[in-house]
Amino acid sequence: MSAHTHTRPHPAPRGGVDSRLPWWALALPTLAFVTLLALILDPADAHAATGEPALTALLERVQQLIAR
């Protein structure tokens, strides 16, 4: 007796699938990052025209948070 062979089902057509991300998939994480960065660089601690670069202030703040 011979065994029956099974054929593979036909693959689904690719025409209807959209693999692009919606605009908010990039906008929401960016907005969250900017919001958290603004919270870290609290504007209440800002001094008038210190001339200190923002990157230096950010790195000092990160060091303070790590030291805790």
Side-chain angles (χ1 to χ4, degrees), residues 2 8 19 36 47 65:
S2 62
R8 291 184 177 182
S19 62
L36 290 173
H47 302 287
L65 291 174

Side-chain angles (χ1 to χ4, degrees), residues 13-28:
R14 293 182 176 223
V17 177
D18 189 16
S19 62
R20 293 184 300 163
L21 292 174
W23 64 270
W24 50 264
L26 182 61
L28 288 180

Side-chain angles (χ1 to χ4, degrees), residues 15-51:
V17 177
D18 189 16
S19 62
R20 293 184 300 163
L21 292 174
W23 64 270
W24 50 264
L26 182 61
L28 288 180
T30 303
L31 179 65
F33 175 77
V34 169
T35 303
L36 290 173
L37 186 62
L39 288 174
I40 289 174
L41 299 175
D42 189 11
D45 293 337
H47 302 287
T50 59

